């Protein structure tokens, strides 16, 4: 086993049974689907899912 840091941004939703491997950074506003396995960095405002996690779509950024 190797140690590593996991960085999770603000307003991130992580579904149940999702796995995030070491040395991954998850940007702000990301949604990780249930059961997904995150093996690499995820850009902000993305929706990812699968094994390994892949981009499903980009979320629209709405500012007030």
């Amino acid at each position: 086993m190797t140690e590593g840091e996991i960085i999770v941004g603000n307003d991130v939703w992580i579904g149940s049974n999702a796995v995030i491997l070491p040395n991954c950074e998850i940007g702000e506003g990301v949604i990780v689907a249930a059961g997904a396995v995150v093996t690499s960095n995820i850009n902000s405002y993305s929706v990812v899912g699968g094994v390994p996690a892949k981009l499903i779509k980009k979320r629209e950024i709405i500012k007030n």
Side-chain angles (χ1 to χ4, degrees), residues 10-33:
N10 293 324
D11 298 322
V12 173
W13 293 4
I14 300 175
S16 63
N17 296 322
V19 175
I20 302 170
L21 297 180
N23 299 318
C24 290
E25 183 172 345
I26 298 176
E28 182 177 348
V30 170
I31 298 174
V32 179

Side-chain angles (χ1 to χ4, degrees), residues 17-52:
N17 296 322
V19 175
I20 302 170
L21 297 180
N23 299 318
C24 290
E25 183 172 345
I26 298 176
E28 182 177 348
V30 170
I31 298 174
V32 179
V37 177
V38 178
T39 59
S40 61
N41 295 342
I42 307 295
N43 293 330
S44 295
Y45 300 101
S46 298
V47 179
V48 298
V51 179

